[in-house]
Amino acid sequence: MTGRVLHGGTATGELLVLDAPLSFWGGVDATGTIVDATHPQCGQRLTGRVVVMPPAKGSSSSTSVVAEQLRAGTAPAAVVLTRADPIIVLGALVAAELYAVAMPALVVTDLSGLPTSGWAAVLADGEPGRLRVSAG
């Protein structure tokens, strides 16, 4: 499937499809694990995965959490959003500038047919960006 590139780069990882918006500020710990007890995927680890999610929720401080997770190596490999979210993208931009670490981000509005598991690749190296998922 294709989408609009919010932050460029390429990444691969295990697919994780979130059922609800997630705040990185207070919703995810320093290891990249979802700790928001009300989130349907509480306990899942984001680190190194291609995370598909509705827009983030909550604090603009999520930007610094995303940037610090990228610096520490505990961030998602890529983020695919169903609606553009400047908070997450700003964290990716800051980390790219300060730490030379890239986390591609795409907006894909039509997720019909998207598997809920498998190996995913995000290719955000041109317009449109692409999300490919292989079953597994």
Side-chain angles (χ1 to χ4, degrees):
M1 60 188 51
T2 60
R4 183 167 56 104
V5 174
L6 298 175
H7 190 256
T10 60
T12 60
E14 183 182 358
L15 181 67
L16 176 62
V17 180
L18 300 183
D19 295 327
L22 175 68
S23 173
F24 279 75
W25 179 255
V28 180
D29 70 10
T31 70
T33 302
I34 298 173
V35 294
D36 177 351
T38 66
H39 196 277
Q41 278 85 28
C42 183
Q44 289 286 319
R45 194 149 186 212
L46 306 178
T47 304
R49 299 174 86 175
V50 173
V51 177
V52 177
M53 60 187 288
K57 69 173 186 179
S59 174
S60 59
S61 297
S62 290
T63 293
S64 63
V65 175
V66 170
E68 282 305 305
Q69 286 184 342
L70 283 163
R71 183 193 59 76
T74 61
V79 173
V80 178
L81 301 161
T82 58
R83 193 172 61 214
D85 186 302
I87 293 171
I88 291 175
V89 174
L90 183 57
L93 289 166
V94 168
E97 184 69 24
L98 293 179
Y99 312 125
V101 178
M103 181 182 75
L106 290 179
V107 172
V108 175
T109 55
D110 182 12
L111 296 174
S112 58
L114 180 71
T116 57
S117 65
W119 195 257
V122 171
L123 309 167
D125 53 357
E127 286 290 347
R130 292 162 300 195
L131 169 63
R132 294 184 180 151
V133 179
S134 57

